[in-house]
Amino acid sequence: MKTDRAKLLQTMLTIRRFEEKAAEMYARGKIHGFLHLYIGQEAVATGAIAALHDDDYLVTHYREHGHALARGLDPNRVMAELFGKATGVTGGRGGSMHLFDVAKSFMGGYAIVAGHMPLACGLALAEQYKGTDRIAVNFIGDGAVNEGEFHEALNLASVWKLPVLFIVENNLYGMGTDIRRVSAVTEIYKRAEAYAMHAVQVDGMDVNAMFDATARIAERVRSGGGPAFLEAICYRFRGHSMSDPEFYRHKDEVEHWRRLDPIARLKSQMLSDGALSDEEFDRMQQTAEEIASEAARFAEESPEPALETLHDHVYKERA
Ligand SMILES: Cc1ncc(C[n+]2csc(CCOP(=O)(O)OP(=O)(O)O)c2C)c(N)n1
């Protein structure tokens, strides 16, 4: 499997610009509630998802705009969901943390830390039962690893040899808490080894490394090798959510990681290889800008969900 680096770069640029636009819309009061930006971590979703089959299930955490865009969900409908509009991917009912698109095998973003891990195992179990080669890929944050579901999911996945790939985005913080303050074992992949699971650690700021590692490990899972675990070391450049005053990390640390920006890194690699020109890069940025602006326009002009649909999709449809 070979990477198309220009495509990876375009995807990362689009995610970055889309999220900057979302932040702007939040500041203007167009988006309410929580908004967790993925800025800095683009290489993880972009590299990993490009290495999967289009129908492999994705089950992700609440910082999931990047995963949705990398999977090819319509940016207009993703932005409309952030706005709570009827044209959103869940009709404006889910918002930022609950994007969903069955047609894209995107089985949702989940707000309960680690609560989605058993769901990914269930999807994998169903495919194992049906005998397909479809796998379930479960993105989690490092905050998930001390939750009970983490251990239950890893244990059963291993016992039942489920076709599930866990990808932990270890961005070193769970809200404002440094992983070293709450985890006895901070090299998270080692915990998966304790459940007899093939596990690797990868530089999550390097989209090529993410692509290669995922392609290899997903193939192993797909061909009956049982569950596997990938720990991506990464960093979020913004706060936990839009309302985070960010008192918990030193600006030198943030600066250090900003120098490892996955977009700048791939860009300079491609420029020095002669695989990209400055003009081509400008055009890619322009494309990202157009996608983000169009998404905001579409969301803004979309209708609110109709009041009479307030009770739809709650428990059961009324007769
Ligand atoms: C079960 C549960 N406990 C607590 C919370 C509150 N909470 C929301 S986000 C978060 C931190 C999660 O950190 P991490 O998984 O590392 O994800 P990141 O925000 O770093 O991407 C917590 C504790 C929650 N949503 N669910």
Side-chain angles (χ1 to χ4, degrees):
M1 201 173 192
K2 255 189 74 62
T3 38
D4 177 346
R5 289 187 299 170
K7 212 167 150 200
L8 296 178
L9 185 59
Q10 182 68 67
T11 302
M12 291 199 292
L13 279 167
T14 301
I15 295 171
R16 174 80 49 100
R17 192 64 200 108
F18 179 95
E19 291 224 301
E20 287 166 350
K21 182 64 81 180
E24 196 184 310
M25 294 295 122
Y26 190 90
R28 288 177 46 199
K30 303 284 181 188
I31 297 173
H32 301 277
F34 281 107
L35 185 71
H36 306 90
L37 300 180
Y38 195 57
I39 292 176
Q41 295 179 219
E42 293 92 346
V44 182
T46 301
I49 293 169
L52 298 171
H53 294 182
D54 288 345
D55 68 347
D56 287 338
Y57 289 118
L58 299 183
V59 185
T60 83
H61 45 70
Y62 54 83
R63 196 181 295 287
E64 89 281 31
H65 312 152
H67 309 79
L69 296 175
R71 176 43 71 89
L73 270 68
D74 178 353
N76 290 357
R77 297 192 61 213
V78 173
M79 187 67 89
E81 190 56 47
L82 307 190
F83 276 58
K85 296 294 185 75
T87 51
V89 286
T90 59
R93 286 170 158 76
S96 164
M97 299 195 277
H98 304 289
L99 304 175
F100 208 96
D101 191 341
V102 181
K104 295 276 182 193
S105 301
F106 189 85
M107 306 310 280
Y110 292 86
I112 303 302
V113 173
H116 58 319
M117 299 185 72
L119 301 180
C121 291
L123 288 164
L125 177 63
E127 295 309 309
Q128 183 187 57
Y129 185 76
K130 289 189 280 190
T132 73
D133 74 344
R134 201 175 186 183
I135 70 170
V137 178
N138 183 204
F139 289 90
I140 60 172
D142 48 280
V145 307
N146 296 319
E147 295 280 356
E149 287 98 330
F150 175 87
H151 300 277
E152 293 173 12
L154 262 63
N155 184 56
L156 266 191
S158 193
V159 170
W160 289 346
K161 302 265 173 290
L162 297 181
V164 56
L165 168 59
F166 299 102
I167 299 182
V168 56
E169 305 199 42
N170 183 0
N171 62 14
L172 317 180
Y173 292 89
M175 297 187 92
T177 305
D178 187 319
I179 185 170
R180 289 167 298 191
R181 294 185 57 163
V182 288
S183 283
V185 175
T186 53
E187 287 184 287
I188 295 172
Y189 74 98
K190 290 187 178 163
R191 295 177 177 224
E193 287 176 347
Y195 287 103
M197 201 176 289
H198 176 69
V200 296
Q201 195 182 55
V202 64
D203 178 355
M205 304 300 275
D206 178 348
V207 71
N208 291 310
M210 274 309 303
F211 181 92
D212 292 343
T214 308
R216 249 195 324 272
I217 207 165
E219 211 32 61
R220 182 190 167 103
V221 174
R222 201 181 303 287
S223 55
F229 194 95
L230 200 153
E231 176 185 7
I233 306 293
C234 55
Y235 202 75
R236 59 170 157 71
F237 295 165
R238 301 287 189 100
H240 167 73
S241 72
M242 289 297 288
S243 55
D244 180 357
E246 270 207 84
F247 294 138
Y248 50 88
R249 49 187 201 182
H250 202 279
K251 72 175 186 347
D252 293 348
E253 180 187 289
V254 181
E255 274 314 305
H256 163 77
W257 284 91
R258 276 188 184 276
R259 284 195 289 277
L260 302 175
D261 187 321
I263 294 178
R265 190 159 164 182
L266 180 58
K267 177 190 170 192
S268 70
Q269 185 198 83
M270 289 177 71
L271 283 174
S272 65
D273 285 359
L276 181 76
S277 67
D278 285 317
E279 298 71 47
E280 280 164 337
F281 183 75
D282 291 346
R283 271 203 297 280
M284 286 176 151
Q285 268 192 311
Q286 186 55 33
T287 300
E289 174 59 40
E290 283 161 15
I291 291 170
S293 298
E294 169 57 15
R297 189 202 59 77
F298 175 83
E300 187 137 28
E301 291 174 6
S302 288
E304 302 280 349
L307 199 55
E308 48 290 5
T309 67
L310 188 64
H311 294 107
D312 291 356
H313 317 300
V314 179
Y315 290 109
K316 70 181 202 46
E317 299 306 314
R318 285 192 287 187

